[in-house]
Amino acid sequence: MPDPRLMTDASLTPGAEIALDAEQTHKLATVLRLKPGASVRAFNSRDGEWRCELLRADKRGGALAIREQVRAPTPSPDVDLLFAPVKRHATDLIIEKATELGVRGLQPVITKRTIVDTVRLDRLALIAREAAEQTERFDAPAVSAALPLGRVLDGWDPARTLIYADERGDAPDAQWGGDKGRAAPIADVVAALSPGQPLALLIGPEGGFDPAERQLLRSLAFVAAVSLGPRILRAETATIAALSVIQAMWGDWRG
Amino acid sequence: MPDPRLMTDASLTPGAEIALDAEQTHKLATVLRLKPGASVRAFNSRDGEWRCELLRADKRGGALAIREQVRAPTPSPDVDLLFAPVKRHATDLIIEKATELGVRGLQPVITKRTIVDTVRLDRLALIAREAAEQTERFDAPAVSAALPLGRVLDGWDPARTLIYADERGDAPDAQWGGDKGRAAPIADVVAALSPGQPLALLIGPEGGFDPAERQLLRSLAFVAAVSLGPRILRAETATIAALSVIQAMWGDWRG
């Protein structure tokens, strides 16, 4: 297994010594049972990733000695995720997977059909940080406080294209046809984007957007409605699927 | 919410009456609390999807009367998934999401670094069936018995391209560089496929493939190695991501 990887705010310079917080110390000493002298990696988006030596990790705290840089930092592609909070397990999955898929910012949005209205930001930030450590990126996505959809759209920078996927139509009889039929295939929309153009992805709640919300979204020039095919995807599947297509065709999977 | 949707082997013809199994009866009567007269959908890959009326659902069993066809069946794209079983929760997620993403067949493969060696096929088939009901497809993917990777490759039809993603390199120091560096970006590989060409996707275990397995895979003419970008993805994320790109660029998301 590769050396454990810890995100830190501390400045990473050769020979420096940095303190570990209680959670990091617990992870190294208790979960991974590392002893002083073990090799660990520390990283942040400013200094990149560094090989470090564990100096101590016990009840009194932990510390690392910074040795040498392993990788210089590279920024994540400029894509944010706007998501309607769903059940806790599915929301956790969205945060973890969006982090693996290189999202820069996470914005919970409250829609008319959003059932969940309490969003534990500290919990989401922790999941994002752990996923960032695991996925070898240099930063964790920033988690913003939940906002109503209308507020988010009111303050939108029109230079940022908002790709919007709505898996459920509004009428029961139009469940796979109506709304998805009017949206363009995601590959066509993503293929037409300029490289480097700022993006965001908006995924609706399990029950779909309300007709008024859908009408508003469709009226905005910066919004591009996309279809994710003939099957109905759960919110977390739609999120992972759309982000994957975006990274593969527009983002940093292009090699 | 749309009417509940049940997969059935029974022949769906107007006016026919079909029996429900114990699990379907329980779902309609106890979980959804439906009464006789309620509207339900039944489907299979031969007859498509039909609107039905619930005749009865109680301790003695359940039955539906078939009314009219709602949709004619459409086949899923010809893509299979070969996956190394991982932890139970992640394996369940792979089955559910691969079903949503339209996979036709699910083949568990045992690799040298596969830790899990018992695969409960009945359990996986049940997850696939429930996901098929939810995702509005007409069939559930077929779940095959687990086989060693070598056996699967020995019997391979060379007309079926095997897209292979390996998220972990073999050496600890090559964890993001070595192997991923030699594979082509997935969008390039998928863009070069002919429409309708049979496909399969192979995703490795969390620890990656063994060097000998990797060498074997790279030597086979029907194998196309792909990269899923600079971050390390968990096995279930890599599966969902690669299938999404395949469906968006080659499969039935193209509109």
mmCIF file of all heavy atoms in Angstrom, chain A residues 55-88:
data_model
loop_
_atom_site.group_PDB
_atom_site.id
_atom_site.type_symbol
_atom_site.label_atom_id
_atom_site.label_comp_id
_atom_site.label_asym_id
_atom_site.label_seq_id
_atom_site.Cartn_x
_atom_site.Cartn_y
_atom_site.Cartn_z
ATOM 1 N N LEU A 55 7.595 11.675 13.399
ATOM 2 C CA LEU A 55 8.484 11.865 14.554
ATOM 3 C C LEU A 55 7.857 11.265 15.808
ATOM 4 O O LEU A 55 8.512 10.593 16.579
ATOM 5 C CB LEU A 55 8.757 13.361 14.767
ATOM 6 C CG LEU A 55 9.523 14.053 13.635
ATOM 7 C CD1 LEU A 55 9.637 15.543 13.911
ATOM 8 C CD2 LEU A 55 10.927 13.431 13.488
ATOM 9 N N ARG A 56 6.574 11.533 16.010
ATOM 10 C CA ARG A 56 5.860 10.937 17.155
ATOM 11 C C ARG A 56 4.372 11.001 16.897
ATOM 12 O O ARG A 56 3.886 11.857 16.138
ATOM 13 C CB ARG A 56 6.228 11.645 18.464
ATOM 14 C CG ARG A 56 5.959 13.134 18.442
ATOM 15 C CD ARG A 56 6.422 13.848 19.718
ATOM 16 N NE ARG A 56 6.249 15.296 19.514
ATOM 17 C CZ ARG A 56 7.117 16.070 18.858
ATOM 18 N NH1 ARG A 56 8.248 15.575 18.377
ATOM 19 N NH2 ARG A 56 6.865 17.359 18.693
ATOM 20 N N ALA A 57 3.656 10.065 17.488
ATOM 21 C CA ALA A 57 2.189 10.043 17.435
ATOM 22 C C ALA A 57 1.741 9.243 18.639
ATOM 23 O O ALA A 57 1.811 8.014 18.640
ATOM 24 C CB ALA A 57 1.699 9.417 16.136
ATOM 25 N N ASP A 58 1.343 9.944 19.666
ATOM 26 C CA ASP A 58 0.893 9.268 20.889
ATOM 27 C C ASP A 58 -0.118 10.161 21.590
ATOM 28 O O ASP A 58 -0.614 11.130 20.998
ATOM 29 C CB ASP A 58 2.089 8.922 21.792
ATOM 30 C CG ASP A 58 2.958 10.146 22.080
ATOM 31 O OD1 ASP A 58 2.397 11.262 22.211
ATOM 32 O OD2 ASP A 58 4.190 10.001 22.152
ATOM 33 N N LYS A 59 -0.380 9.858 22.853
ATOM 34 C CA LYS A 59 -1.433 10.592 23.561
ATOM 35 C C LYS A 59 -1.138 12.092 23.669
ATOM 36 O O LYS A 59 -2.043 12.907 23.754
ATOM 37 C CB LYS A 59 -1.626 10.000 24.968
ATOM 38 C CG LYS A 59 -2.591 8.806 24.965
ATOM 39 C CD LYS A 59 -2.617 8.073 26.301
ATOM 40 C CE LYS A 59 -1.497 7.041 26.358
ATOM 41 N NZ LYS A 59 -1.456 6.251 27.587
ATOM 42 N N ARG A 60 0.144 12.449 23.634
ATOM 43 C CA ARG A 60 0.475 13.871 23.772
ATOM 44 C C ARG A 60 0.423 14.621 22.439
ATOM 45 O O ARG A 60 0.606 15.817 22.386
ATOM 46 C CB ARG A 60 1.865 14.011 24.410
ATOM 47 C CG ARG A 60 1.904 13.635 25.891
ATOM 48 C CD ARG A 60 3.291 13.203 26.294
ATOM 49 N NE ARG A 60 3.767 12.112 25.443
ATOM 50 C CZ ARG A 60 4.974 11.551 25.521
ATOM 51 N NH1 ARG A 60 5.839 11.989 26.378
ATOM 52 N NH2 ARG A 60 5.305 10.561 24.713
ATOM 53 N N GLY A 61 0.212 13.904 21.350
ATOM 54 C CA GLY A 61 0.117 14.584 20.046
ATOM 55 C C GLY A 61 1.034 13.937 19.024
ATOM 56 O O GLY A 61 1.663 12.914 19.296
ATOM 57 N N GLY A 62 1.091 14.557 17.848
ATOM 58 C CA GLY A 62 1.895 13.970 16.785
ATOM 59 C C GLY A 62 2.636 15.036 16.016
ATOM 60 O O GLY A 62 2.248 16.211 16.011
ATOM 61 N N ALA A 63 3.715 14.637 15.335
ATOM 62 C CA ALA A 63 4.487 15.581 14.518
ATOM 63 C C ALA A 63 5.177 14.838 13.380
ATOM 64 O O ALA A 63 5.522 13.658 13.504
ATOM 65 C CB ALA A 63 5.525 16.308 15.372
ATOM 66 N N LEU A 64 5.348 15.557 12.279
ATOM 67 C CA LEU A 64 6.050 15.042 11.101
ATOM 68 C C LEU A 64 7.250 15.925 10.804
ATOM 69 O O LEU A 64 7.185 17.139 10.972
ATOM 70 C CB LEU A 64 5.141 15.089 9.863
ATOM 71 C CG LEU A 64 3.841 14.315 9.836
ATOM 72 C CD1 LEU A 64 3.130 14.572 8.502
ATOM 73 C CD2 LEU A 64 4.083 12.823 10.047
ATOM 74 N N ALA A 65 8.328 15.305 10.315
ATOM 75 C CA ALA A 65 9.454 16.066 9.737
ATOM 76 C C ALA A 65 9.304 16.013 8.221
ATOM 77 O O ALA A 65 9.151 14.933 7.646
ATOM 78 C CB ALA A 65 10.779 15.455 10.163
ATOM 79 N N ILE A 66 9.350 17.181 7.593
ATOM 80 C CA ILE A 66 9.156 17.267 6.141
ATOM 81 C C ILE A 66 10.478 16.937 5.448
ATOM 82 O O ILE A 66 11.499 17.558 5.757
ATOM 83 C CB ILE A 66 8.720 18.700 5.740
ATOM 84 C CG1 ILE A 66 7.566 19.198 6.619
ATOM 85 C CG2 ILE A 66 8.342 18.753 4.260
ATOM 86 C CD1 ILE A 66 6.340 18.357 6.575
ATOM 87 N N ARG A 67 10.471 15.997 4.551
ATOM 88 C CA ARG A 67 11.695 15.624 3.835
ATOM 89 C C ARG A 67 11.744 16.269 2.452
ATOM 90 O O ARG A 67 12.207 17.372 2.306
ATOM 91 C CB ARG A 67 11.816 14.096 3.730
ATOM 92 C CG ARG A 67 11.940 13.401 5.086
ATOM 93 C CD ARG A 67 13.161 13.907 5.862
ATOM 94 N NE ARG A 67 13.333 13.192 7.121
ATOM 95 C CZ ARG A 67 13.820 13.756 8.221
ATOM 96 N NH1 ARG A 67 14.149 15.038 8.240
ATOM 97 N NH2 ARG A 67 13.966 13.046 9.315
ATOM 98 N N GLU A 68 11.207 15.613 1.407
ATOM 99 C CA GLU A 68 11.326 16.246 0.085
ATOM 100 C C GLU A 68 10.002 16.201 -0.674
ATOM 101 O O GLU A 68 9.146 15.349 -0.413
ATOM 102 C CB GLU A 68 12.440 15.615 -0.759
ATOM 103 C CG GLU A 68 12.170 14.214 -1.272
ATOM 104 C CD GLU A 68 12.595 13.146 -0.283
ATOM 105 O OE1 GLU A 68 13.536 13.383 0.496
ATOM 106 O OE2 GLU A 68 11.947 12.089 -0.267
ATOM 107 N N GLN A 69 9.899 17.111 -1.643
ATOM 108 C CA GLN A 69 8.673 17.182 -2.432
ATOM 109 C C GLN A 69 8.568 15.974 -3.360
ATOM 110 O O GLN A 69 9.551 15.597 -4.013
ATOM 111 C CB GLN A 69 8.634 18.474 -3.249
ATOM 112 C CG GLN A 69 7.233 18.759 -3.789
ATOM 113 C CD GLN A 69 7.192 19.951 -4.729
ATOM 114 O OE1 GLN A 69 8.025 20.092 -5.613
ATOM 115 N NE2 GLN A 69 6.207 20.813 -4.530
ATOM 116 N N VAL A 70 7.389 15.362 -3.397
ATOM 117 C CA VAL A 70 7.134 14.222 -4.276
ATOM 118 C C VAL A 70 6.461 14.694 -5.567
ATOM 119 O O VAL A 70 6.762 14.207 -6.646
ATOM 120 C CB VAL A 70 6.226 13.185 -3.562
ATOM 121 C CG1 VAL A 70 6.034 11.954 -4.425
ATOM 122 C CG2 VAL A 70 6.762 12.817 -2.190
ATOM 123 N N ARG A 71 5.544 15.635 -5.431
ATOM 124 C CA ARG A 71 4.832 16.162 -6.600
ATOM 125 C C ARG A 71 4.539 17.634 -6.392
ATOM 126 O O ARG A 71 4.176 18.056 -5.287
ATOM 127 C CB ARG A 71 3.474 15.454 -6.797
ATOM 128 C CG ARG A 71 3.580 14.025 -7.282
ATOM 129 C CD ARG A 71 2.214 13.518 -7.762
ATOM 130 N NE ARG A 71 1.241 13.473 -6.666
ATOM 131 C CZ ARG A 71 -0.075 13.408 -6.860
ATOM 132 N NH1 ARG A 71 -0.578 13.410 -8.097
ATOM 133 N NH2 ARG A 71 -0.895 13.352 -5.832
ATOM 134 N N ALA A 72 4.648 18.410 -7.464
ATOM 135 C CA ALA A 72 4.214 19.814 -7.413
ATOM 136 C C ALA A 72 2.687 19.837 -7.539
ATOM 137 O O ALA A 72 2.109 18.929 -8.153
ATOM 138 C CB ALA A 72 4.851 20.592 -8.552
ATOM 139 N N PRO A 73 2.028 20.834 -6.960
ATOM 140 C CA PRO A 73 0.558 20.840 -7.015
ATOM 141 C C PRO A 73 0.042 21.144 -8.413
ATOM 142 O O PRO A 73 0.671 21.881 -9.166
ATOM 143 C CB PRO A 73 0.170 21.954 -6.041
ATOM 144 C CG PRO A 73 1.342 22.864 -6.029
ATOM 145 C CD PRO A 73 2.561 22.001 -6.236
ATOM 146 N N THR A 74 -1.073 20.533 -8.757
ATOM 147 C CA THR A 74 -1.792 20.885 -9.985
ATOM 148 C C THR A 74 -3.220 21.212 -9.562
ATOM 149 O O THR A 74 -3.773 20.546 -8.687
ATOM 150 C CB THR A 74 -1.816 19.728 -11.008
ATOM 151 O OG1 THR A 74 -2.235 18.532 -10.337
ATOM 152 C CG2 THR A 74 -0.445 19.489 -11.606
ATOM 153 N N PRO A 75 -3.811 22.262 -10.148
ATOM 154 C CA PRO A 75 -5.164 22.641 -9.726
ATOM 155 C C PRO A 75 -6.206 21.656 -10.262
ATOM 156 O O PRO A 75 -6.003 21.021 -11.299
ATOM 157 C CB PRO A 75 -5.360 24.019 -10.353
ATOM 158 C CG PRO A 75 -4.427 24.047 -11.517
ATOM 159 C CD PRO A 75 -3.273 23.133 -11.193
ATOM 160 N N SER A 76 -7.328 21.520 -9.560
ATOM 161 C CA SER A 76 -8.454 20.744 -10.073
ATOM 162 C C SER A 76 -9.135 21.564 -11.166
ATOM 163 O O SER A 76 -9.109 22.789 -11.144
ATOM 164 C CB SER A 76 -9.455 20.471 -8.949
ATOM 165 O OG SER A 76 -8.844 19.719 -7.930
ATOM 166 N N PRO A 77 -9.748 20.887 -12.148
ATOM 167 C CA PRO A 77 -10.493 21.618 -13.180
ATOM 168 C C PRO A 77 -11.570 22.506 -12.535
ATOM 169 O O PRO A 77 -12.075 22.189 -11.458
ATOM 170 C CB PRO A 77 -11.125 20.499 -14.011
ATOM 171 C CG PRO A 77 -10.276 19.292 -13.761
ATOM 172 C CD PRO A 77 -9.809 19.423 -12.342
ATOM 173 N N ASP A 78 -11.919 23.587 -13.214
ATOM 174 C CA ASP A 78 -12.838 24.572 -12.629
ATOM 175 C C ASP A 78 -14.298 24.152 -12.811
ATOM 176 O O ASP A 78 -15.044 24.735 -13.596
ATOM 177 C CB ASP A 78 -12.584 25.947 -13.244
ATOM 178 C CG ASP A 78 -13.296 27.046 -12.463
ATOM 179 O OD1 ASP A 78 -13.940 26.730 -11.439
ATOM 180 O OD2 ASP A 78 -13.201 28.214 -12.870
ATOM 181 N N VAL A 79 -14.698 23.130 -12.057
ATOM 182 C CA VAL A 79 -16.084 22.688 -12.106
ATOM 183 C C VAL A 79 -16.609 22.549 -10.676
ATOM 184 O O VAL A 79 -15.956 21.959 -9.816
ATOM 185 C CB VAL A 79 -16.260 21.384 -12.934
ATOM 186 C CG1 VAL A 79 -15.326 20.291 -12.473
ATOM 187 C CG2 VAL A 79 -17.689 20.898 -12.921
ATOM 188 N N ASP A 80 -17.743 23.172 -10.428
ATOM 189 C CA ASP A 80 -18.415 23.086 -9.130
ATOM 190 C C ASP A 80 -19.598 22.134 -9.232
ATOM 191 O O ASP A 80 -20.130 21.911 -10.325
ATOM 192 C CB ASP A 80 -18.956 24.466 -8.715
ATOM 193 C CG ASP A 80 -17.847 25.457 -8.418
ATOM 194 O OD1 ASP A 80 -16.752 25.029 -8.022
ATOM 195 O OD2 ASP A 80 -18.088 26.668 -8.592
ATOM 196 N N LEU A 81 -20.030 21.608 -8.106
ATOM 197 C CA LEU A 81 -21.220 20.765 -8.070
ATOM 198 C C LEU A 81 -22.289 21.427 -7.210
ATOM 199 O O LEU A 81 -22.043 21.762 -6.053
ATOM 200 C CB LEU A 81 -20.900 19.378 -7.501
ATOM 201 C CG LEU A 81 -22.121 18.486 -7.278
ATOM 202 C CD1 LEU A 81 -22.788 18.118 -8.602
ATOM 203 C CD2 LEU A 81 -21.742 17.226 -6.501
ATOM 204 N N LEU A 82 -23.468 21.613 -7.786
ATOM 205 C CA LEU A 82 -24.651 22.058 -7.045
ATOM 206 C C LEU A 82 -25.558 20.846 -6.907
ATOM 207 O O LEU A 82 -25.964 20.261 -7.914
ATOM 208 C CB LEU A 82 -25.399 23.146 -7.819
ATOM 209 C CG LEU A 82 -24.858 24.576 -7.776
ATOM 210 C CD1 LEU A 82 -23.450 24.668 -8.323
ATOM 211 C CD2 LEU A 82 -25.785 25.501 -8.541
ATOM 212 N N PHE A 83 -25.881 20.484 -5.684
ATOM 213 C CA PHE A 83 -26.687 19.275 -5.504
ATOM 214 C C PHE A 83 -27.765 19.509 -4.464
ATOM 215 O O PHE A 83 -27.574 20.235 -3.498
ATOM 216 C CB PHE A 83 -25.804 18.091 -5.091
ATOM 217 C CG PHE A 83 -25.193 18.231 -3.723
ATOM 218 C CD1 PHE A 83 -25.734 17.579 -2.624
ATOM 219 C CD2 PHE A 83 -24.089 19.051 -3.530
ATOM 220 C CE1 PHE A 83 -25.188 17.734 -1.358
ATOM 221 C CE2 PHE A 83 -23.532 19.206 -2.270
ATOM 222 C CZ PHE A 83 -24.083 18.554 -1.176
ATOM 223 N N ALA A 84 -28.916 18.893 -4.703
ATOM 224 C CA ALA A 84 -29.999 18.933 -3.729
ATOM 225 C C ALA A 84 -29.733 17.824 -2.717
ATOM 226 O O ALA A 84 -29.622 16.664 -3.110
ATOM 227 C CB ALA A 84 -31.334 18.714 -4.434
ATOM 228 N N PRO A 85 -29.616 18.152 -1.436
ATOM 229 C CA PRO A 85 -29.322 17.106 -0.459
ATOM 230 C C PRO A 85 -30.392 16.022 -0.505
ATOM 231 O O PRO A 85 -31.581 16.319 -0.605
ATOM 232 C CB PRO A 85 -29.355 17.849 0.886
ATOM 233 C CG PRO A 85 -29.109 19.276 0.544
ATOM 234 C CD PRO A 85 -29.715 19.475 -0.816
ATOM 235 N N VAL A 86 -29.966 14.784 -0.495
ATOM 236 C CA VAL A 86 -30.876 13.635 -0.507
ATOM 237 C C VAL A 86 -30.683 12.900 0.815
ATOM 238 O O VAL A 86 -30.237 13.484 1.800
ATOM 239 C CB VAL A 86 -30.611 12.760 -1.753
ATOM 240 C CG1 VAL A 86 -31.264 13.398 -2.989
ATOM 241 C CG2 VAL A 86 -29.126 12.557 -2.022
ATOM 242 N N LYS A 87 -31.041 11.649 0.877
ATOM 243 C CA LYS A 87 -30.861 10.906 2.136
ATOM 244 C C LYS A 87 -29.394 10.894 2.512
ATOM 245 O O LYS A 87 -28.520 10.963 1.657
ATOM 246 C CB LYS A 87 -31.372 9.475 1.966
ATOM 247 C CG LYS A 87 -32.895 9.382 2.011
ATOM 248 C CD LYS A 87 -33.339 7.935 1.813
ATOM 249 C CE LYS A 87 -34.654 7.843 1.095
ATOM 250 N NZ LYS A 87 -34.710 6.718 0.141
ATOM 251 N N ARG A 88 -29.150 10.771 3.821
ATOM 252 C CA ARG A 88 -27.787 10.934 4.315
ATOM 253 C C ARG A 88 -26.773 10.050 3.608
ATOM 254 O O ARG A 88 -25.708 10.518 3.214
ATOM 255 C CB ARG A 88 -27.789 10.638 5.818
ATOM 256 C CG ARG A 88 -26.426 10.684 6.427
ATOM 257 C CD ARG A 88 -26.513 10.614 7.935
ATOM 258 N NE ARG A 88 -25.392 9.840 8.452
ATOM 259 C CZ ARG A 88 -25.031 9.838 9.721
ATOM 260 N NH1 ARG A 88 -25.710 10.545 10.602
ATOM 261 N NH2 ARG A 88 -24.012 9.120 10.122
#
